[in-house]
Amino acid sequence: MELNAPDSTLRIGGRPLPVVGPARMYVCGITPYDATHLGHARTFVWADVAARVLRHAGGDVRVCRNVTDVDDVLYQAAHRAGSPYDSFAAVQQYYFERDLDTLGVRAVDHQPRAHNHVREVIALAQGLLTAGHAYVRDGAVYFRGADARRRTGLARDEAHALLAEYGDEPDDPRKEHPFDVAVWRPSRSGEPAWPSPWGPGRPGWHAECAAMAMTTFGPSLDLHAGGTDLRFPHHAYESAMAEALTGVRPFSRTWLHIGMVRRDGVKMAKSTGNLVLVSDLVPDHPPAAVRLMLITAPWHDEWDYTPGVLDEAAARLDRLHTAAGRADRSPAAEAAVTEALLSDLDAPAALAVAEQEGGRAARLAMQVLALT
């Protein structure tokens, strides 16, 4: 009689993610123009949790987290600072990586920078043109993207507003359709420019990630992570371009869209002036308490920051350490921790078991979630 091994498959959103061989995980990284705030940190801590849980389940994981160093906001910030954009980005990237290291985020296997992948974006644009999925207008290459909106299920007006918000210029008269987006575009005065078959210019944002992901992992991914604010247009068009080029669908088998951080009910962002920086919190609190604070609500939920929640996390971290030193109460507790983590990365449930049962279950939860 054969005995079935316990299921060690991670499930995201109720869907299993079985993997044979190394899991290919792509994480949308930062545009390095400012300090790391809790909105950034929550996304990258949760992505780190996902990779750690996959490894705990016995998988081999390769993580790629890109750097978007070809971008309008970066150029503007570098200009204000009187610094070349690439030097400015390198300094900001150093501070970002320092903050993530402080929070226990494991170093990634691949970290492509957009300015090093211009040639791949040009190849992507040429492939889309050859296949009839793109066209040239006045030195720009536009991807035919009407289907990207339809596949998301977004209402037309909502999608139009989001495209405008993220700089995709849906009302540009050069476009055949408002939902077409630039794969390549001419550089404005003062912006960096690279030679191309269509004249000097620079990559479009969505094309950058599509090119970097495919250069690193080929035509498809196992898991793609990023904030919920990237669902549309960025991830929708990144996927649509890759699938149009390769014919491989889906571009990513699973998506991890991490909920936004809010403060006083408003999304945390530089534009709203409500940032809380990681570097402002860690001098007065254990970094593990900050990390714990960021994973106490489910990954897909939006989360509100108040100063009190960090104090609560610090107190809970102390309780977890105490629990880890107790004798075991239940032989099934370790399995319950693992099952919770495999079931949609349910860190809140795993931590509840750890705190209640203590012993090896608490030590396991703290180890996998990098809270030690």
Side-chain angles (χ1 to χ4, degrees):
M1 177 179 177
E2 290 190 11
L3 295 177
N4 293 324
D7 186 6
S8 60
T9 301
L10 174 62
R11 297 175 294 281
I12 301 289
R15 298 178 60 184
L17 183 63
V19 177
V20 176
R24 302 154 300 170
M25 181 176 179
Y26 186 85
V27 183
C28 269
I30 63 159
T31 302
Y33 75 100
D34 203 0
T36 312
H37 61 71
L38 289 183
H40 298 140
R42 186 171 194 246
T43 293
F44 300 122
V45 165
W46 268 116
D48 182 64
V49 167
R52 289 175 182 273
V53 171
L54 276 167
R55 293 188 185 101
H56 173 61
D60 184 11
V61 187
R62 298 287 184 268
V63 181
C64 174
R65 187 181 65 229
N66 74 291
V67 180
T68 305
D69 61 0
V70 178
D71 192 89
D72 289 341
V73 294
L74 169 60
Y75 298 152
Q76 293 161 7
H79 179 73
R80 288 192 298 269
S83 173
Y85 87 95
D86 48 356
S87 300
F88 183 83
V91 171
Q92 296 301 317
Q93 183 70 16
Y94 164 78
Y95 290 123
F96 166 71
E97 290 176 358
R98 182 192 63 183
D99 287 340
L100 291 195
D101 182 65
T102 298
L103 294 179
V105 174
R106 181 170 169 166
V108 296
D109 302 284
H110 308 280
Q111 191 164 246
R113 288 166 168 79
H115 82 272
N116 289 327
H117 287 75
V118 173
R119 181 176 61 181
E120 287 78 8
V121 174
I122 291 172
L124 171 62
Q126 289 174 319
L128 291 171
L129 286 167
T130 300
H133 294 295
Y135 56 93
V136 180
R137 290 288 187 278
D138 300 331
V141 178
Y142 291 105
F143 172 68
R144 292 189 167 100
D147 189 54
R149 191 276 302 177
R150 285 192 290 267
R151 287 168 57 188
T152 65
L154 283 177
R156 183 183 181 89
D157 289 349
E158 183 180 1
H160 189 283
L162 286 169
L163 284 169
E165 178 183 345
Y166 284 94
D168 284 308
E169 302 175 330
D171 297 321
D172 185 341
R174 294 174 296 181
K175 294 182 178 181
E176 292 180 357
H177 191 282
F179 293 154
D180 296 345
V181 298
V183 183
W184 183 265
R185 71 188 205 192
S187 297
R188 302 183 184 95
S189 176
E191 292 180 345
W194 291 266
S196 82
W198 316 284
R202 46 174 280 205
W205 176 32
H206 316 311
E208 289 172 354
C209 268
M212 287 186 281
M214 287 191 290
T215 299
T216 305
F217 289 132
S220 64
L221 309 170
D222 295 299
L223 181 60
H224 195 314
T228 54
D229 56 340
L230 299 180
R231 191 190 305 268
F232 187 91
H234 185 51
H235 289 162
Y237 281 93
E238 176 195 356
S239 298
M241 288 179 189
E243 292 171 4
L245 180 76
T246 67
V248 176
R249 294 191 176 192
F251 173 56
S252 182
R253 297 168 58 207
T254 308
W255 292 87
L256 195 73
H257 283 121
I258 293 102
M260 295 293 96
V261 175
R262 299 178 300 196
R263 188 180 185 187
D264 300 324
V266 179
K267 174 187 168 182
M268 189 172 289
K270 184 178 178 65
S271 59
T272 59
N274 64 349
L275 298 184
V276 177
L277 305 183
V278 170
S279 58
D280 289 339
L281 299 180
V282 292
D284 300 318
H285 297 84
V290 180
R291 182 180 174 101
L292 176 59
M293 174 185 71
L294 294 170
I295 62 174
T296 48
W299 60 267
H300 43 74
D301 289 353
E302 292 191 345
W303 173 73
D304 285 279
Y305 169 80
T306 62
V309 298
L310 182 51
D311 293 332
E312 293 169 7
R316 190 178 193 191
L317 184 65
D318 286 342
R319 295 197 301 272
L320 285 166
H321 279 290
T322 300
R326 295 200 310 256
D328 294 316
R329 294 180 55 183
S330 166
E334 282 184 275
V337 167
T338 294
E339 175 58 27
L341 293 175
L342 292 175
S343 180
D344 214 13
L345 303 175
D346 196 346
L351 289 166
V353 172
E355 192 172 345
Q356 177 178 342
E357 299 295 336
R360 286 195 298 266
R363 294 192 291 273
L364 175 64
M366 296 182 74
Q367 177 188 359
V368 176
L369 296 173
L371 298 174
T372 54

